[in-house]
Amino acid sequence: MHRNRKATPGVHGPWSAATALLVAAAVLAGCERGSSSGPGASPSGPSGCPGAQARAGAAVGRAERTDVPWDGPTSGPRAVAGKTIVYVAQTMTNPGAAGAADGVREAARVIGWNVRVIDGGGTPAGIQAAMSQAVALKPSGIVIGGFDPDATSQQVARAHAARIPLIGWHAVASPGPSRRPELFTNITTKVEDVAAVSAQWVIATSDGRAGVVLFTDASIPFAKNKSELIRKQLATCSGVRLLAYENIPIPDASSRTPQEISSLLSRFPGRWTYSVAINDLYFADAAPAFRAAGKKGAGPPFNIGAGDGDPSAFQRINDKQYQAATVPEPLSLQGWQIVDEFNRAFSGRPASRYVAPVHITTTDNSDGATTWDPSGYREAYRRIWGK
């Protein structure tokens, strides 16, 4: 697996000391009109919202760092021996669910457990069948990998009756233990943080002057909530205009997105400079339409995905092909955390409640990686487990 390079202390992507001085100058200058600049470029004029831009710049600078020390648990129970975990994936074609499963497998080898992955195939019937199979295996624990536990309520009830602890990966909206549905813990970044930093990246890198298109799937409550949070954060900058709020269901993205991109380019020639999507996959589907319209891969519009940060998104960012940034999940780390949380459950200990901080990957800090894999967690968990 690729590792991200260490950032130079005090210099975080485009927000170098020189840029910080320009932001400070913009704060003093007031809200005169300035020109929009691309990611990593120095502002060429006063900010459209100096206060909001200064706050956004600080948040983005923190999120772009790749040298953040481990801030997760450093103590906990020693490894419990002889356990078997079943990871039920919503679909293994979802790079997020698959990446977390790979992390579980890697950590299980270290702690000495067995892991079985069952693919739900992405359909309600398939996921229910996968959960039924998982419960029938009578494992030590079951991972609910990327689907709503309420969609498998009968199987969940059977697992509880058999005293099989359940841990979710992106199973409910919030991280940590859940009562309804009952989960020992749920592992995800905070949607509020992901949404906020996605919008702040637009504010910071555009010099507070942007015409934005926001892509969402309003049929999914979690996705709709994320996009509403993004819209709220964008509204903190008076120089940012939300040009369009596009509702494209994820299952329809491949067929509808190219058409919508062509329409948006016609409606907002020269005004559309940035995009935010609740998932990176929209930009995979958008790329052919941008290319057909003669748009350069490096933008504008400059596109950021507030999604899992799958390998194809990293590749588009690395190649500067119609995506400038993503807010990725640390999938391998989350897989290791799943194993650690099960070890706590088996030991009669509470969940760690650890939540990984948000990160922004750009061309400047990816170092050619295809995943966001922060440092320190493997060593920390090995020390906790005595492995």
Side-chain angles (χ1 to χ4, degrees):
M1 181 175 291
H2 294 284
R3 296 292 189 93
N4 289 27
R5 71 168 183 264
K6 303 297 183 185
T8 303
V11 181
H12 314 310
W15 281 88
S16 63
T19 306
L21 289 173
L22 287 170
V23 171
V27 172
L28 295 174
C31 292
E32 298 176 13
R33 184 169 182 81
S35 61
S36 177
S37 58
S42 297
S44 59
S47 168
C49 52
Q53 190 195 351
R55 292 188 294 273
V60 169
R62 290 190 298 270
E64 288 184 335
R65 290 185 59 179
T66 60
D67 61 347
V68 179
W70 171 244
D71 66 343
T74 56
S75 63
R78 306 286 278 186
V80 178
K83 299 299 182 180
T84 297
I85 303 301
V86 175
Y87 184 106
V88 179
Q90 186 259 350
T91 172
M92 287 295 282
T93 62
N94 177 340
D102 287 343
V104 170
R105 289 189 183 106
E106 181 186 9
R109 286 193 293 271
V110 171
I111 204 171
W113 296 352
N114 297 314
V115 175
R116 180 167 178 176
V117 176
I118 303 177
D119 190 346
T123 67
I127 294 167
Q128 290 170 6
M131 273 294 287
S132 293
Q133 183 181 355
V135 176
L137 290 170
K138 298 181 180 180
S140 308
I142 297 174
V143 182
I144 295 178
F147 60 91
D148 183 355
D150 289 338
T152 58
S153 57
Q154 293 181 359
Q155 292 84 359
V156 165
R158 290 201 292 270
H160 289 318
R163 298 185 180 276
I164 301 172
L166 304 177
I167 287 180
W169 177 84
H170 288 210
V172 294
S174 299
S178 172
R179 289 189 176 183
R180 294 185 180 178
E182 186 180 344
L183 302 174
F184 180 75
T185 196
N186 180 60
I187 295 172
T188 181
T189 50
K190 291 181 180 178
V191 65
E192 297 88 353
D193 294 345
V194 172
V197 82
S198 302
Q200 287 168 327
W201 180 86
V202 172
I203 294 169
T205 59
S206 71
D207 188 25
R209 298 285 184 185
V212 183
V213 173
L214 177 55
F215 296 93
T216 191
D217 181 348
S219 69
I220 302 173
F222 180 82
K224 183 179 180 181
N225 178 50
K226 184 191 287 189
S227 57
E228 287 296 325
L229 292 168
I230 293 169
R231 178 158 69 171
K232 182 178 180 180
Q233 187 67 43
L234 290 171
T236 64
C237 179
S238 59
V240 171
R241 295 287 182 267
L242 184 61
L243 303 177
Y245 192 3
E246 295 294 310
N247 174 28
I248 303 176
I250 287 176
D252 300 336
S254 60
S255 60
R256 283 189 51 188
T257 301
Q259 299 172 4
E260 295 296 334
I261 295 296
S262 297
S263 175
L264 289 163
L265 289 170
S266 298
R267 289 167 57 194
F268 307 111
R271 294 174 58 200
W272 179 13
T273 55
Y274 283 79
S275 311
V276 189
I278 54 96
N279 193 294
D280 293 303
L281 66 84
Y282 287 99
F283 301 127
D285 298 321
F290 283 130
R291 193 173 292 110
K295 290 291 182 179
K296 294 181 179 179
F302 303 104
N303 303 318
I304 183 170
D308 293 344
D310 64 82
S312 66
F314 274 74
Q315 196 62 56
R316 288 190 295 276
I317 291 166
N318 293 337
D319 296 342
K320 298 183 179 180
Q321 289 297 303
Y322 307 104
Q323 187 165 350
T326 186
V327 184
E329 297 276 336
L331 299 173
S332 181
L333 182 160
Q334 290 175 339
W336 279 66
Q337 184 183 351
I338 287 170
V339 170
D340 182 67
E341 300 291 2
F342 272 125
N343 195 54
R344 292 168 191 271
F346 301 150
S347 303
R349 302 280 287 274
S352 74
R353 295 181 178 269
Y354 174 64
V355 181
V358 293
H359 175 72
I360 297 175
T361 291
T362 67
T363 306
D364 290 336
N365 69 1
S366 75
D367 198 28
T370 56
T371 60
W372 166 230
D373 193 29
S375 62
Y377 67 91
R378 290 180 176 88
E379 297 80 2
Y381 284 128
R382 280 178 176 272
R383 284 193 293 270
I384 291 172
W385 303 336
K387 295 291 185 176

